[in-house]
Amino acid sequence: MSIENLSSHKSFDGWHKQYRHHAGTLNCPMRFAIYLPPQTAQGEKVPVLYWLSGLTCTDENFMQKAGAHRIAAELGIAIVAPDTSPRGKAVADDEGYDLGQGAGFYVNATQAPWNRHYHMYDYVLQELPQLIEASFPVSDKRAIAGHSMGGHGALVLALRNPERYTSVSAFSPIANPVDCPWGQKAFSAYLGEDTSKWKDYDASLLMRSATAKVPARVDIGEADEFLHEQLKPQALEAAAEASGYPLQLNRHPGYDHSYYFIASFIEQQLRFHALYLEQ
């Protein structure tokens, strides 16, 4: 479990650091970022929020644009942000921004050539937390969150593994990927044309049949250009109503899909997670 430190920057009396390691799950090197709040310098083990980013992003977007460090420092929460896909010359890719490198969709690919590297579901669920908990002063209390494609990933991981996470949140998630162009393109490539294999990665379908439940918060911008064609929050809302899922879905007039939206409400999401991480 050797890791290489790439950079370190002090922030709100904590530290933002980047690391690289070999990911056995993905069969390639991977980079991740971690924010360690000041409490860790005093020997305290802190809980972790795993943040999953969206299409075209890396580990850097959230850490640099969301303005989350100040509140994470106050609350004593570490934040871990992995890259959004495997990368490298030997890793399969596509000319489109919405498939291949930068677009892992947090699934375990079953179709060639993607199945050699694209196992982001297992990486985020198992390998990365094992590495984080063995290498840093953190506890095994975990929450998960994400944006857009990463919001899809966060919801799916929490819905399928409720025992692993205290809470889940998402900004502008792809809530019903089996019924939108982004999801259909990615799932066809990664999982094959048998659409029955897709349901395990659709948050709306999973939430509709969920029995074990994790507190969930979703924030949607009503001026999001992808709202109706790609995100489909109404499917998630209907699923929660059908199963009695504890979903708090907040609509925000005037906000779009950008990090301006995330920065505006990241404090509310972090405080939401703190309520459950402290229990």
Side-chain angles (χ1 to χ4, degrees), residues 108-159:
N108 287 336
T110 58
Q111 305 299 300
W114 313 103
N115 57 351
R116 184 164 181 240
H117 297 284
Y118 284 76
H119 295 109
M120 288 296 294
Y121 179 89
D122 282 350
Y123 176 71
V124 174
L125 180 65
Q126 298 288 351
E127 184 173 2
L128 184 60
Q130 289 173 4
L131 178 65
I132 297 300
E133 290 165 22
S135 305
F136 300 99
V138 301
S139 72
D140 61 358
K141 297 194 77 171
R142 313 172 198 95
I144 192 164
H147 172 231
S148 194
M149 177 185 72
H152 138 76
L155 289 167
V156 166
L157 280 152
L159 285 160

Side-chain angles (χ1 to χ4, degrees), residues 234-261:
Q234 68 277 7
L236 194 68
E237 198 167 36
E241 185 175 351
S243 65
Y245 205 90
L247 171 67
Q248 177 189 143
L249 196 150
N250 305 296
R251 290 179 170 83
H252 303 278
Y255 286 92
D256 57 21
H257 201 71
S258 71
Y259 265 85
Y260 296 109
F261 174 41

Side-chain angles (χ1 to χ4, degrees), residues 226-243:
F226 304 114
L227 185 63
H228 301 293
E229 183 181 20
Q230 302 283 14
L231 307 184
K232 299 185 180 290
Q234 68 277 7
L236 194 68
E237 198 167 36
E241 185 175 351
S243 65

Side-chain angles (χ1 to χ4, degrees), residues 208-237:
R208 182 172 287 273
S209 61
T211 52
K213 298 175 172 66
V214 176
R217 172 177 174 141
V218 169
D219 289 274
I220 295 288
E222 290 187 344
D224 192 317
E225 62 270 39
F226 304 114
L227 185 63
H228 301 293
E229 183 181 20
Q230 302 283 14
L231 307 184
K232 299 185 180 290
Q234 68 277 7
L236 194 68
E237 198 167 36

Side-chain angles (χ1 to χ4, degrees), residues 162-185:
E163 75 287 352
R164 296 275 294 176
Y165 304 102
T166 63
S167 49
V168 60
S169 70
F171 286 95
S172 314
I174 303 171
N176 193 198
V178 304
D179 191 33
C180 79
W182 278 339
Q184 290 166 348
K185 178 178 179 178

Side-chain angles (χ1 to χ4, degrees), residues 40-86:
T40 59
Q42 301 158 13
E44 184 177 337
K45 284 194 170 186
V46 300
V48 183
L49 174 71
Y50 288 87
W51 174 270
L52 307 183
S53 291
L55 289 166
T56 75
C57 292
T58 69
D59 62 291
E60 294 184 334
N61 297 72
F62 177 80
M63 292 298 200
Q64 293 181 5
K65 296 179 178 180
H69 291 178
R70 178 179 63 85
I71 305 303
E74 175 195 328
L75 298 173
I77 297 173
I79 302 175
V80 172
D83 202 347
T84 52
S85 77

